[in-house]
Amino acid sequence: MSEARDRMGRLILALRSQGITDPRVLNAIENTPREVFVADLFKEQSWEDKALPIDCGQTISQPYIVGLMTQSLDVQPRHRVLEIGTGSGYQAAVLSPLARYVYSVERYKALLIEAKARFERLHLDNVITRFGDGGEGWPEQAPFDRIIVTAAAPVEPTALLAQLKPNGIMVAPVGAGPVQTLLKYTGDGQGGFRRETLCEVRFVPLVPGAAKDA
Ligand code: SAH
């Protein structure tokens, strides 16, 4: 077994022992080369279960959190999924084989250009991106079966909940401080939502408006 496969095997075991047991999610993580989504400096650490810095002062999430959020979304093959915060593109790449389409919005043009190049390189043709303020969602493509927010919303992101199908699921870190609550919203089919707390997390903030400098 090559060293890379060995490391990946250890990561998958670690995720499994922490409750990420959905085989489709584990397969998606196993088949997504995380080293492609980080700068050369961090490639050695790309299979460790930790968040790493990316450009524009942002971070690529810890694999466990990517696993937990992806598993909690319960994505089905025909689903259209909205992601807020493309960042490196890693989370979108993990969602890609599970969904029909992944729509991903990022407020930094520089990050989006790099992420798009990675999607092309890995032939992830069902990931569709947009530059702009994800806090407003993607009204032209709404409603979505699933929504994943990968930046911390200071308060409940109601504009995004409004773009979820009646029985949809949204997972989002919510809170204004350095530690936020990861919440799972499940639509009750009548315009209301059941809220479940998954765990405490540390995400970079959801910042209103598209970035002007990059
Ligand atoms: N899903 C990413 C995680 C990136 S970190 C990955 O797998 O790498 C969160 C990202 O959300 C950052 O890139 C940040 O620029 C972006 N972001 C923050 N506020 C945003 C907003 N209002 N609209 C779109 N993207 C936003």
Side-chain angles (χ1 to χ4, degrees):
M1 203 197 269
S2 75
E3 196 189 345
R5 284 184 68 90
D6 207 28
R7 286 187 198 171
M8 173 56 100
R10 280 203 294 274
L11 175 67
I12 295 297
L13 275 178
L15 297 187
R16 208 190 294 260
S17 74
Q18 293 175 90
I20 313 303
T21 52
D22 183 333
R24 294 190 321 130
V25 173
L26 290 171
N27 271 337
I29 291 176
E30 192 159 11
N31 293 324
T32 305
R34 193 165 181 253
E35 72 274 13
V36 168
F37 295 84
V38 299
D40 285 346
L41 185 62
F42 297 107
K43 289 208 190 299
E44 275 300 304
Q45 298 174 60
S46 63
W47 294 114
E48 291 175 23
D49 190 15
K50 62 183 193 189
L52 293 169
I54 57 173
D55 288 347
C56 306
Q58 306 302 311
T59 52
I60 174 173
S61 306
Q62 180 191 353
Y64 167 67
I65 295 296
V66 171
L68 178 66
M69 292 175 85
T70 307
Q71 178 166 281
S72 303
L73 275 183
D74 188 26
V75 179
Q76 301 299 319
R78 296 178 66 86
H79 281 170
R80 296 164 67 250
V81 182
L82 173 66
E83 180 194 27
I84 308 305
T86 315
S88 68
Y90 178 68
Q91 173 73 71
V94 169
L95 287 166
S96 166
L98 303 174
R100 179 68 189 94
Y101 289 109
V102 179
Y103 298 87
S104 187
V105 187
E106 171 57 53
R107 67 184 290 277
Y108 279 109
K109 213 168 249 174
L111 289 178
L112 203 50
I113 288 167
E114 283 186 65
K116 279 168 82 168
R118 292 171 180 134
F119 299 145
E120 255 174 54
R121 178 174 160 193
L122 299 173
H123 307 293
L124 305 178
D125 303 327
N126 66 341
V127 181
I128 301 155
T129 61
R130 176 185 197 170
F131 168 64
D133 182 2
E136 294 166 14
W138 194 326
E140 298 83 354
Q141 295 292 350
F144 298 94
D145 299 284
R146 300 289 187 258
I147 299 180
I148 180 167
V149 187
T150 67
V155 294
E156 188 158 280
T158 46
L160 298 177
L161 282 171
Q163 293 181 19
L164 193 59
K165 287 192 184 171
N167 288 302
I169 297 174
M170 178 171 98
V171 175
V174 180
V179 179
Q180 309 97 29
T181 306
L182 189 61
L183 286 173
K184 174 177 172 178
Y185 297 86
T186 307
D188 63 7
Q190 299 170 338
F193 301 95
R194 186 157 52 85
R195 291 164 182 75
E196 256 173 276
T197 296
L198 299 180
C199 61
E200 290 198 325
V201 284
R202 290 172 174 269
F203 272 86
V204 295
L206 187 75
V207 180
K212 303 217 170 17
D213 50 336

